[in-house]
Amino acid sequence: MSFCLETYLQQSDDYEVLLSRAGFKECAEIIKNKSNEVLYINPGDKVLGARIIGIPPIPVGINKDKGTIIISYTKPCHGTAAIELPVNDEEIENIRKIAIEK
């Protein structure tokens, strides 16, 4: 799946902001606490077509039973947020392919 995450967040109600206007560390903690499974990626890796930035290794939460992932998303002038988004199984597999060892 590849799309503009910024546009998706502006046009959809199908996501949940778990934490906003925070830092990378706070978002990482929320991701770890709210996810059934946590994978780690490198800064600059793409998830849902967006390059994810943060302090490495960057956690990506997976809740396969809900069909969601939790990522940190940084918007200039607004800080970093932890966002839970619905995804398909293919996107979860794409994240598994780029995952690194912590």
Side-chain angles (χ1 to χ4, degrees):
M1 175 187 277
S2 181
F3 67 95
C4 178
L5 184 57
E6 180 69 23
T7 301
Y8 178 83
L9 295 175
Q10 290 173 355
Q11 298 176 352
S12 177
D13 294 338
D14 199 15
Y15 67 91
E16 182 178 357
V17 177
L18 303 175
L19 179 67
S20 64
R21 298 187 183 270
F24 296 123
K25 289 182 182 180
E26 294 87 359
C27 287
E29 286 302 313
I30 290 290
I31 291 168
K32 292 174 196 174
N33 292 332
K34 298 271 186 182
S35 303
N36 299 105
E37 177 183 4
V38 178
L39 299 174
Y40 294 88
I41 62 172
N42 286 311
D45 285 346
K46 284 187 176 184
V47 174
L48 297 171
R51 292 199 186 276
I52 306 299
I53 62 174
I55 299 170
I58 300 170
V60 175
I62 297 175
N63 290 315
K64 191 153 173 99
D65 52 332
K66 289 173 60 177
T68 63
I69 62 169
I70 304 173
I71 60 171
S72 58
Y73 177 67
T74 302
K75 186 173 179 182
C77 301
H78 295 280
T80 302
I83 302 172
E84 187 169 19
L85 300 156
V87 296
N88 59 31
D89 289 339
E90 180 182 350
E91 187 60 37
I92 291 173
E93 288 310 310
N94 289 340
I95 295 167
R96 290 186 196 287
K97 288 177 187 174
I98 62 171
I100 60 171
E101 294 293 320
K102 180 178 174 193

